[in-house]
Amino acid sequence: MSMTTSLKTFARDDSGAVTVDWVVLTAAIVGLGLAVVTSVRTGVGALGTEISTSLSSASVASLSTLGTAGE
């Protein structure tokens, strides 16, 4: 096989192109995932703190006082 024949065969072979496509798509998905996590991290932390504060200051009615408010 001559050098030009080998080069032409190599140029026509596209079996590695699918692998490159999947690598690019996977990198894009990972990048988007990291961007989403970064953008919502602050809001989720603040929401968690707010929920914790609300639950800490909540009072629970005793069983004996339930249903006696209107009597």
Side-chain angles (χ1 to χ4, degrees), residues 7-66:
L7 190 57
K8 286 179 184 178
T9 303
F10 177 75
R12 277 188 256 129
D13 186 19
D14 60 354
S15 61
V18 175
T19 303
V20 172
D21 290 343
W22 279 107
V23 167
V24 170
L25 286 172
T26 303
I29 290 170
V30 168
L32 286 172
L34 289 173
V36 167
V37 167
T38 302
S39 67
V40 299
R41 181 172 47 179
T42 304
V44 170
L47 180 63
T49 302
E50 187 177 329
I51 290 171
S52 174
T53 303
S54 288
L55 289 175
S56 296
S57 63
S59 62
V60 179
S62 65
L63 202 53
S64 63
T65 60
L66 289 176

